[in-house]
Amino acid sequence: MNFWDSRRVVVTGGAGFLGSYVVEKLNGLGAQVFVPRSRDYNLIQAEQCGRMYEDAQPQTLIHLAASVGGIGANQANPGRFFYENMAMGLNVIEQGRTYGALEKLVVVGTTCSYPKFTEVPFKEEDLWNGFPEETNAPYGIAKRALLSMSYGYRSQYGMNIIYLIPANLYGPGDNFDPNSSHVIPALIKKLLDAKQSNNDKVIAWGTGNPSREFLYAEDAAEGIVLAAEKYNKPEPINLGNSREVTIRELVNLISDAVGYDGEICWDQSKPDGQPRRRLEVSRALEEFGFEARTDLETGLRGTIGTVTHSTT
């Protein structure tokens, strides 16, 4: 029998960007998926989180719900991002313990938890070797604290909690709101708008020198579902594809893909964020056979195509 066939699974954040991909994969595997909506279950409130467990009766819970955004959103909401992510994680884990019938809890973290100056590629054991980059430290520390909580609950209560750290995500269905989006959707929106408006100049944040690793959302969902089925150890696992590109290179790739040939001007008064990001991803391959399939150029074309279609 397929592991997921008729398995009761809760996906918090299942109506969101990454969550929608995870839910689609689980449905395709025959799972009985329950997606708690915030209007019905406010996970920041312990009582409502406990009620979610009682209503859904999950065997597996994948915790994706989060308050997130790009550098600007993190700068504008450091307190809210810390509190809401910390509170949701605390309640999901503690109420899962008191529920008592949960077979596995999957907590999905963030590369923002890694120290600002980390040897590249980032190894999972480097997670505690320093303070995160300042602009997203409250969010990153809240997520990192949930890993420590997971260790404690596994040790004291025997809970099977695993912790995954995906690279920066992108893909069709992403958030393209310039006030809260991450770097790829923000740049796609900005460059598409400039092309459609015949603007001969686009302003990009920072110097363009920092580097990032980007993981297509569909690939990330595959990694999460594989880990939820096959991985049962306490150590965190990176999910990525090991390709590092500078933001300047990324802008050029997106410009080419959307057909924008104007000038890119760099506003160096804006923050760059963490200097470099690239994950060591061999553990995911060794432990549960995950390897990203989608290269950046293909993923960008697919993402841009959906945005172009939705605006025509």
Side-chain angles (χ1 to χ4, degrees), residues 8 10 34 40-41 48-58 99:
R8 299 185 305 279
V10 164
F34 181 87
D40 302 315
Y41 305 93
Q48 294 193 38
C49 186
R51 181 165 54 81
M52 174 200 69
Y53 274 104
E54 291 305 317
D55 290 349
Q57 295 288 303
Y99 161 64

Side-chain angles (χ1 to χ4, degrees), residues 25-36:
K25 284 198 174 292
L26 290 170
N27 282 332
L29 292 166
Q32 297 178 7
V33 184
F34 181 87
V35 177

Side-chain angles (χ1 to χ4, degrees), residues 74 110 112-114 132 136-145 163:
N74 273 276
T110 172
C112 297
S113 295
Y114 274 103
N136 52 39
Y139 171 63
I141 288 174
K143 287 290 194 176
R144 191 197 288 184
Y163 189 96

Side-chain angles (χ1 to χ4, degrees), residues 58-74:
Q59 296 165 282
T60 301
L61 186 141
I62 300 174
H63 180 46
L64 300 176
S67 296
V68 297
I71 290 177
N74 273 276

Side-chain angles (χ1 to χ4, degrees), residues 199-221:
N199 290 342
D200 60 3
K201 185 182 296 185
V202 163
I203 305 231
W205 275 31
T207 64
N209 296 325
S211 66
R212 294 291 181 267
E213 175 181 353
F214 297 99
L215 182 62
Y216 200 56
E218 186 174 0
D219 289 346

Side-chain angles (χ1 to χ4, degrees), residues 162-180:
I162 67 169
Y163 189 96
L164 307 174
I165 308 173
N168 290 43
L169 302 176
Y170 74 103
D174 206 342
N175 169 27
F176 290 88
D177 181 344
N179 295 316
S180 58

